[in-house]
């Protein structure tokens, strides 16, 4: 039987009812951090996958925060399907019209925290892998489910996965994030930066006795607007749009903040988003230049890039992209390209492990992290069928 027929068989073998039930089961396990964390999800899924013939490995990243790895087959040149287990907090319950962990179905949608980001995509990957096993048995190339912790934080899960060598020997990875089933070959880079300003405390009635860091920090934030305008003039991406420098934290004040005290320190936090082709080292140098020009007498400052995630780009001619496009055509789904506005675990599979990645999954791009988060069942099933078909095309 040819590859196309096998791919279609795998797509048809996806159990839609089981996919809905699994998505609901995962939503009902609260896994935000700090809080319950990811361990209960891993405990549930390890048993679930073992019962279905997968070889499982639990990788302890830090205490109580494990990765789960589940394999079919052993040969090189296979495929990774990736989906994280953590979710963001539900926030204020009074903002929800449905309970966040009930996984209620209303009008063809499953509601709950993580339904879209990304318990739905994770369940689709798992059900797709089960369908592949039904059609191929143990494949000659490995199909690996990478199920890491902490995607919503500093991505310690995927970093540990790559460092331990679990990404070696594979031909590519599908990142099952909510992208409306678009074929996302590009994703933005990110820099997270702290800037610390140091002055000298003094009485508010006698500012000349101290050195107030607030005006220097404020001037720096204004300069960031000019730098952002320059970056945007240099780069606008067809699928990612403009780069951004966004101040997200501005903290100062003595103690709880006293009106008659000049503080001795201020810190500014920056969330920076870049496009492919923008050099982060060059951008850091430009940030430092803007910082130096913002300081008043008696005020010093330091700049720390504590997280650096490069933008990614996967060429259309790679085998993985070709398989995804072929799978879409076999299933008579539209081939729609898109870009990921934020970084994902795929950032490090691409940058550290050198894997081609495609970010593709069910769910609206703007739905994650909101109250009344949901996933459309029709889109969820379509994603699982596409994962199954693509997996067969990559493994045969």
């Amino acid at each position: 039987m040819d590859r196309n027929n096998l791919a279609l068989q795998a797509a048809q073998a996806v159990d839609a009812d089981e996919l809905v039930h699994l998505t609901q089961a995962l939503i009902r396990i609260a896994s935000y951090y700090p809080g319950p964390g990811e361990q209960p999800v891993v405990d549930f899924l390890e048993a679930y996958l073992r019962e279905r013939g997968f070889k499982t490995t639990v990788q302890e990243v830090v205490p109580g925060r494990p990765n789960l790895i589940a394999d079919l087959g052993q040969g090189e040149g296979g495929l990774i399907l990736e989906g994280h287990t953590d979710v963001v907090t539900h926030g204020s319950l009074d903002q929800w019209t449905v309970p966040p962990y009930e996984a209620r179905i209303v009008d063809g949608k499953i509601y709950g925290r993580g339904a879209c980001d990304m318990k739905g995509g994770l369940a689709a990957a798992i059900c797709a892998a089960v369908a592949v096993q039904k059609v191929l048995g143990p494949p000659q190339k490995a199909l690996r489910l990478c199920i890491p912790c902490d995607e919503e934080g500093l991505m310690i899960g995927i970093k540990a996965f790559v460092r331990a060598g679990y990404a070696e020997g594979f031909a590519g990875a599908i990142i099952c994030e909510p992208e409306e089933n678009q074929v996302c070959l590009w994703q933005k880079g990110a820099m997270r930066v702290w800037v610390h300003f140091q002055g000298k405390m003094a009485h508010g009635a006698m500012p000349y006795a101290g050195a107030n860091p607030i005006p220097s920090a404020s001037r720096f934030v204004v300069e960031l607007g000019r730098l952002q305008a320059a970056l945007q003039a240099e780069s606008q991406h067809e699928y990612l749009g403009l780069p951004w420098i966004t101040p997200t934290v501005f903290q100062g004040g003595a103690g709880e903040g006293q009106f008659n005290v000049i503080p001795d320190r201020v810190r500014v936090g920056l969330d920076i988003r870049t496009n492919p082709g923008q050099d982060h080292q060059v951008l850091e140098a430009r940030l430092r230049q803007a910082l130096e020009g913002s300081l008043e007498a008696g005020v010093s400052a330091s700049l720390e890039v504590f997280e650096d995630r490069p933008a990614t780009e996967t060429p259309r001619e790679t085998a993985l992209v070709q398989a995804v496009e072929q799978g879409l055509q076999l299933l008579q789904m539209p081939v729609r390209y898109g870009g990921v506005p934020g970084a994902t675990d795929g950032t490090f599979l691409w940058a550290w492990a050198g894997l081609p990645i495609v970010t593709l999954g069910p769910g609206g791009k703007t739905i994650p992290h909101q109250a009344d988060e949901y996933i459309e069942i029709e889109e969820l099933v379509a994603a699982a069928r596409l994962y199954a078909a693509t997996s067969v095309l990559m493994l045969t």
Side-chain angles (χ1 to χ4, degrees):
M1 186 175 295
D2 67 23
R3 295 166 67 242
N4 287 351
N5 285 332
L6 287 171
L8 283 171
Q9 280 193 22
Q12 292 162 359
V14 170
D15 187 331
D17 290 337
E18 177 62 17
L19 173 55
V20 170
H21 294 154
L22 179 58
T23 301
Q24 290 180 295
L26 293 175
I27 292 169
R28 289 169 182 150
I29 305 173
S31 55
Y32 56 89
Y33 183 89
E38 301 93 341
Q39 184 73 57
V41 182
V42 169
D43 292 342
F44 170 80
L45 284 179
E46 185 187 19
Y48 183 95
L49 289 163
R50 278 186 177 276
E51 287 174 2
R52 286 156 179 80
F54 287 76
K55 177 186 177 183
T56 61
T57 302
V58 176
Q59 180 190 17
E60 192 78 6
V61 180
V62 295
R65 306 197 74 183
N67 292 338
L68 177 62
I69 300 148
D71 292 333
L72 294 175
Q74 299 180 25
E76 293 198 352
L79 178 66
I80 293 174
L81 299 176
E82 190 273 346
H84 60 85
T85 51
D86 59 320
V87 298
V88 298
T89 176
H90 51 263
S92 300
L93 289 174
D94 59 7
Q95 298 297 310
W96 291 75
T97 62
V98 294
Y101 304 108
E102 185 180 295
R104 185 184 300 175
I105 296 177
V106 181
D107 295 331
K109 302 172 183 176
I110 309 173
Y111 283 83
R113 175 54 82 225
C116 182
D117 186 14
M118 61 172 298
K119 300 287 179 67
L122 175 56
I126 291 169
C127 289
V130 171
V132 170
Q133 183 185 41
K134 291 177 183 176
V135 172
L136 296 184
Q140 294 186 352
K141 299 178 183 178
L143 178 61
R144 173 162 289 174
L145 292 167
C146 167
I147 308 174
C149 65
D150 192 48
E151 192 272 349
E152 301 291 359
L154 291 177
M155 300 185 179
I156 61 173
I158 198 66
K159 290 173 181 175
F161 177 89
V162 174
R163 287 191 184 109
Y166 287 118
E168 294 176 3
F170 288 86
I174 295 177
I175 315 304
C176 305
E177 291 275 4
E179 298 296 339
E180 301 170 7
N181 285 341
Q182 293 180 355
V183 183
C184 295
L185 306 184
W186 308 269
Q187 61 180 3
K188 285 203 174 198
M191 297 171 67
R192 294 195 177 160
V193 180
W194 279 120
V195 185
H196 299 273
F197 295 82
Q198 184 68 48
K200 180 183 178 184
M201 288 181 69
H203 198 295
M206 294 172 284
Y208 48 81
N212 193 341
I214 292 177
S216 294
S218 300
R219 188 175 292 108
F220 174 65
V221 171
V222 171
E223 286 299 315
L224 291 178
R226 297 190 180 97
L227 177 54
Q228 176 179 271
L231 292 176
Q232 291 180 346
E234 297 164 6
S235 175
Q236 181 167 357
H237 193 276
E238 179 182 1
Y239 295 101
L240 298 174
L242 296 168
W244 299 96
I245 302 176
T246 307
T248 53
V249 180
F250 194 109
Q251 295 176 333
E256 293 297 321
Q258 292 181 257
F259 280 90
N260 62 344
V261 178
I262 291 173
D264 66 341
R265 66 193 66 187
V266 170
R267 70 173 184 168
V268 176
L270 307 179
D271 183 0
I272 301 173
R273 305 291 173 155
T274 59
N275 285 336
Q278 293 186 293
D279 189 313
H280 285 192
Q281 290 185 332
V282 172
L283 178 51
E284 181 180 345
R286 295 171 78 172
L287 289 169
R288 293 186 182 279
Q289 184 179 18
L291 178 60
E292 291 172 5
S294 302
L295 300 180
E296 293 188 347
V299 177
S300 61
S302 62
L303 185 148
E304 173 196 7
V305 179
F306 67 92
E307 180 76 345
D308 191 338
R309 302 171 181 176
T312 73
E313 182 172 9
T314 302
R316 292 184 181 181
E317 60 270 17
T318 62
L320 175 59
V321 178
Q322 295 296 307
V324 168
E325 291 181 353
Q326 187 176 349
L328 285 164
Q329 292 163 1
L330 287 172
L331 298 176
Q332 298 182 342
M333 295 170 63
V335 180
R336 298 176 297 132
Y337 292 103
V340 183
T344 71
D345 283 335
T347 299
F348 295 101
L349 291 172
W350 183 89
W352 290 11
L355 287 183
I357 62 168
V358 173
T359 308
L360 186 158
K365 290 175 182 278
T366 62
I367 301 302
H369 302 191
Q370 295 190 33
D372 287 345
E373 181 182 349
Y374 67 86
I375 189 91
E376 294 188 8
I377 292 174
E378 183 179 359
E379 191 174 347
L380 179 67
V381 174
R385 297 196 192 287
L386 177 59
Y387 296 156
T390 302
S391 296
V392 169
L393 293 172
M394 287 291 291
L395 299 174
T396 56

